[in-house]
Amino acid sequence: MNVLPFSADAKASAMCFPLGGLVVVLLVIAGCGDDADLVREIQNRRQEQSRSKNVQDHLGETFQLLSDFVDLNRESATQQITYHLNKWRQDAPGNDDKSGSADAPEILSTISDLLPVEKSSVFVLQPNFSKSDVNHLRDSYLYRQVVRWVDQEGKDDPVLSDWFDSVESDLGEDDAGKLRTASRLFDWMVRNVALEPSQQGADFPSPPQFALGMTFQGPGYRQTDYETLWRGTGDWLQRAGVFTQLCRQADIPAAVLAVQSAESGELNPWAVGVRIGQEVYLFETELGTYIPGPGQVGIATLDQARKDASVMRRLNVPGFFDYRFSKDDVQQNIALLNALPVSLSPRMKRLQAGLTGQRRMRVYVDADDQTKQWDDQSGVAGVRLWQVPLLAELYRAQLQVAAERDPRVGFWYHSRWAMLDAEFPSAKQLAQGRWEHLHGRFADDDIEDEKGARTYYLTQRAPEFEIDDLRIDVDLQKAYGIRRELRSDRETYDRQVQQVQGLLRLGKRTATYWLSLVQYDDGRYDTAMSWLDDRVLDESQQSFWEPAARYNLARTAEKLGDVDRAVELYKTEGVPQEHGNRIRARLISR
């Protein structure tokens, strides 16, 4: 083999070769020494492009994992999201860690009786993303998806349509649009989150004990905002949590308004205030209605409620209900921000800035700015973090400990919503259907070969004879993922099969009810009425969804112009939302 000698120019070219093809061409033309600055500039540019690509890849992976969360192993997905976020933090330009020199928001002191400021500050200011951050991102992601399809033209509450048109010239196009959006989100929440009584119980001789004054199945904190959205049922405080979360994703400031007792200092929430322009508009989640303005026209503002006694007085239903607050009671309010400490952190602020386009969602709350704006509002005497969201997190942690210690609590804890646990074989179809439902994906996508909510829900509706045969059909048991463990006696195994039968029936009834909601939101009101009338409210298919189904049947009757039937349904006695339903009956009868 002959080896040819290198010329001086060839040696120079060989020395420059590792810099890449483009650099080699430039250096051959100009020479290495003369254009060192150009070489460095090109190198820096290429490195910056590579870094930018890596940054986007990590955010892209994070968003993809969030969008597929229901199909993934939760622990594995959480680990992967945490990894990608921390890699993004390290690589993203300008993401140098200055958290240690930042000050924690002063508003953290308003929850110091639940979480000492020194502890909350450390958590808020830590630069690294942790596994505990992932639930917050999942929640923000899903609320954002709901807003995307609910906030559309044609989805206004029909009672308010004419009023919206009349006030647009006074409010301006932008603020009028925000008010329409808030009303659409509230209306969807009321129809899709069934109202439960504030206090619930379970058949335990001695229920588990909780710290911080919480009680078993207590109001507001017995489930998180995400669980309320996912399950489609909650008390009025949990409804307020869902509504304020939806408003945040729509970039509309919202807070729970509470009046403070002069004697005890106790805060008593009563409405959600939505701040648009110079006004705060009032929505009442226990009644399930906006608070009507003077003359029962439009949505009342806080200013109107404080000045016009008829606004609060008209929330009474003579002979049936008296509203618990009057004009004098609501003169001064505390604005409660629905924000967990994680949402106040600098890392979430940086992340929110990096989420653009289709990935855009609100993961950060500027507590200082929100505090100032609410403090400047007439009728607001202070701003605090709402304690209910944090209590819900603490309650869940304590309940999990109780479930591990007490088999009765454990069975209740794991079985109550097992029908929606995607990791449970017989519940997977319902969970996937719910995920698609909350994304607004109702129909199948034949091009992408993806199923929509309708298909998943219909799959969940197993025939009654099949559910009955589960106790005697071994092949059917295998199909539903039921396996008899070694040394398990026949009686124990039979109880296990019966439990699955109960879950299947509950899952079927839930799928049927949610299918009716899908038909309504898809504008198929005749079909929605058929599903509600003939299936959900069939006497042989009764479930805890019945009161909510009657309300939605009334809303469907409104859409179809049958006001008389709607009024009759709204006046059903003994349902959790009867007070507010009777107010709506009055509004549509005007």
Side-chain angles (χ1 to χ4, degrees):
M1 180 177 179
N2 296 322
V3 180
L4 298 177
F6 276 73
S7 66
D9 289 341
K11 289 180 180 179
S13 297
M15 291 171 61
C16 296
F17 184 78
L19 296 177
L22 178 61
V23 180
V24 169
V25 173
L26 290 171
L27 293 179
V28 168
I29 294 173
C32 287
D34 295 337
D35 288 274
D37 290 341
L38 177 60
V39 172
R40 281 192 292 271
E41 181 182 344
I42 294 172
Q43 282 182 302
N44 292 337
R45 192 181 307 154
R46 288 165 62 88
Q47 290 171 356
E48 186 59 36
Q49 290 173 344
S50 177
R51 174 182 289 185
S52 178
K53 182 177 183 301
N54 289 337
V55 165
Q56 293 304 314
D57 286 348
H58 287 302
L59 282 185
E61 289 292 336
T62 296
F63 195 83
Q64 188 61 50
L65 287 164
L66 289 172
S67 66
D68 294 335
F69 205 84
V70 73
D71 291 324
L72 304 174
N73 176 276
R74 294 172 193 168
E75 181 61 28
S76 175
T78 298
Q79 290 177 347
Q80 291 181 61
I81 291 171
T82 306
Y83 165 79
H84 285 295
L85 286 175
N86 283 317
K87 288 294 292 180
W88 166 81
R89 181 187 63 80
Q90 294 168 11
D91 294 343
N95 268 11
D96 50 330
D97 293 333
K98 296 180 180 179
S99 302
S101 60
D103 293 326
E106 292 183 8
I107 202 169
L108 286 174
S109 64
T110 63
I111 56 170
S112 59
D113 53 336
L114 303 181
L115 189 65
V117 173
E118 55 271 21
K119 289 187 177 181
S120 61
S121 297
V122 170
F123 173 70
V124 166
L125 298 178
Q126 70 179 29
N128 288 335
F129 291 89
S130 64
K131 290 182 181 180
S132 61
D133 293 340
V134 174
N135 281 350
H136 169 64
L137 298 177
R138 175 206 59 190
D139 299 358
S140 301
Y141 165 83
L142 197 54
Y143 283 115
R144 181 56 185 159
Q145 300 313 305
V146 172
V147 171
R148 286 180 184 278
W149 66 271
V150 170
D151 184 24
Q152 296 180 14
E153 289 187 19
K155 292 187 179 292
D156 293 330
D157 184 337
V159 180
L160 291 170
S161 294
D162 292 340
W163 179 74
F164 281 135
D165 293 337
S166 68
V167 299
E168 186 166 344
S169 58
D170 295 329
L171 291 176
E173 185 177 351
D174 186 51
D175 283 346
K178 290 180 179 179
L179 186 54
R180 284 183 185 270
T181 294
S183 175
R184 291 167 185 162
L185 298 177
F186 180 78
D187 183 62
W188 182 88
M189 183 279 298
V190 171
R191 288 187 294 102
N192 284 266
V193 179
L195 181 64
E196 299 175 350
S198 295
Q199 191 72 45
Q200 292 190 337
D203 297 329
F204 295 145
S206 55
Q209 301 298 305
F210 296 87
L212 301 170
M214 293 185 290
T215 59
F216 182 61
Q217 289 288 81
Y221 51 74
R222 63 174 173 260
Q223 64 183 13
T224 64
D225 289 345
Y226 174 82
E227 289 169 332
T228 301
L229 178 69
W230 183 241
R231 297 167 178 174
T233 181
D235 66 28
W236 68 279
L237 293 169
Q238 293 156 354
R239 277 177 149 193
V242 169
F243 179 47
T244 52
Q245 295 274 17
L246 292 172
C247 286
R248 177 177 302 144
Q249 294 304 322
D251 295 337
I252 299 174
V256 176
L257 300 180
V259 295
Q260 190 168 25
S261 168
E263 292 78 23
S264 66
E266 179 184 3
L267 295 178
N268 297 298
W270 65 283
V272 172
V274 174
R275 187 165 50 77
I276 296 174
Q278 302 300 312
E279 300 288 353
V280 174
Y281 292 85
L282 302 175
F283 298 83
E284 223 281 12
T285 59
E286 185 171 21
L287 299 179
T289 180
Y290 59 89
I291 294 181
Q296 298 188 89
V297 176
I299 306 172
T301 66
L302 179 59
D303 189 54
Q304 290 170 335
R306 296 170 66 229
K307 293 179 179 178
D308 187 338
S310 70
V311 170
M312 301 300 291
R313 187 169 60 244
R314 294 295 289 176
L315 294 180
N316 298 327
V317 181
F320 291 91
F321 301 99
D322 290 325
Y323 195 63
R324 62 189 187 278
F325 297 110
S326 67
K327 166 181 169 289
D328 293 338
D329 296 322
V330 301
Q331 291 304 302
Q332 293 298 324
N333 297 268
I334 303 297
L336 304 174
L337 304 183
N338 182 10
L340 287 167
V342 61
S343 66
L344 313 181
S345 64
R347 63 186 180 278
M348 289 300 165
K349 181 179 182 180
R350 291 196 297 270
L351 177 59
Q352 181 168 290
L355 295 170
T356 58
Q358 292 300 309
R359 300 172 186 169
R360 179 177 173 272
M361 58 184 178
R362 289 286 175 182
V363 298
Y364 171 69
V365 175
D366 188 337
D368 293 337
D369 179 65
Q370 288 288 302
T371 298
K372 182 180 185 306
Q373 292 192 41
W374 281 103
D375 257 337
D376 291 343
Q377 195 73 45
S378 297
V380 175
V383 185
R384 303 181 186 180
L385 286 181
W386 194 23
Q387 292 196 345
V388 166
L390 182 55
L391 284 172
E393 296 293 331
L394 298 173
Y395 177 88
R396 182 173 58 176
Q398 293 178 40
L399 184 58
Q400 287 174 339
V401 173
E404 293 172 0
R405 293 176 177 174
D406 188 334
R408 299 167 307 158
V409 178
F411 175 78
W412 174 87
Y413 177 72
H414 293 293
S415 66
R416 183 166 178 253
W417 288 100
M419 65 173 181
L420 264 178
D421 188 346
E423 296 183 3
F424 187 64
S426 61
K428 191 170 183 62
Q429 298 292 322
L430 185 61
Q432 290 176 322
R434 185 61 173 167
W435 190 254
E436 296 301 309
H437 185 170
L438 294 175
H439 280 72
R441 299 191 289 249
F442 303 153
D444 294 351
D445 187 332
D446 295 331
I447 296 176
E448 298 294 333
D449 192 26
E450 295 176 346
K451 297 178 183 178
R454 281 196 190 91
T455 297
Y456 282 120
Y457 286 160
L458 287 169
T459 304
Q460 185 70 33
R461 299 187 73 253
E464 285 297 321
F465 71 83
E466 184 174 294
I467 299 176
D468 289 337
D469 288 349
L470 193 61
R471 292 182 69 182
I472 59 175
D473 191 327
V474 176
D475 291 334
L476 202 56
Q477 293 170 8
K478 291 179 180 178
Y480 280 103
I482 308 173
R483 298 289 187 273
R484 185 171 179 176
E485 297 179 4
L486 292 175
R487 293 187 289 277
S488 173
D489 61 77
R490 188 174 189 83
E491 183 179 349
T492 301
Y493 181 65
D494 190 55
R495 282 200 303 269
Q496 180 185 351
V497 174
Q498 290 182 60
Q499 291 164 8
V500 174
Q501 285 178 307
L503 289 175
L504 288 173
R505 288 195 173 94
L506 184 55
K508 176 181 178 178
R509 286 153 178 69
T510 298
T512 303
Y513 172 63
W514 284 344
L515 264 169
S516 70
L517 299 185
V518 165
Q519 306 294 8
Y520 182 101
D521 276 321
D522 210 17
R524 304 183 182 196
Y525 303 118
D526 286 316
T527 307
M529 177 163 281
S530 175
W531 275 89
L532 288 163
D533 249 339
D534 302 335
R535 293 177 174 86
V536 183
L537 294 172
D538 182 345
E539 290 185 1
S540 66
Q541 302 290 312
Q542 288 184 347
S543 70
F544 62 81
W545 295 115
E546 183 177 341
R550 289 191 184 281
Y551 173 80
N552 277 286
L553 184 59
R555 293 297 304 271
T556 307
E558 279 190 57
K559 284 288 188 180
L560 294 173
D562 193 347
V563 175
D564 289 340
R565 188 177 186 203
V567 169
E568 180 185 359
L569 288 163
Y570 287 137
K571 291 183 177 180
T572 301
E573 296 185 5
V575 297
Q577 199 174 280
E578 182 185 349
H579 185 171
N581 290 351
R582 287 182 176 272
I583 291 175
R584 186 167 184 93
R586 188 169 68 205
L587 291 173
I588 67 173
S589 300
R590 293 175 66 247

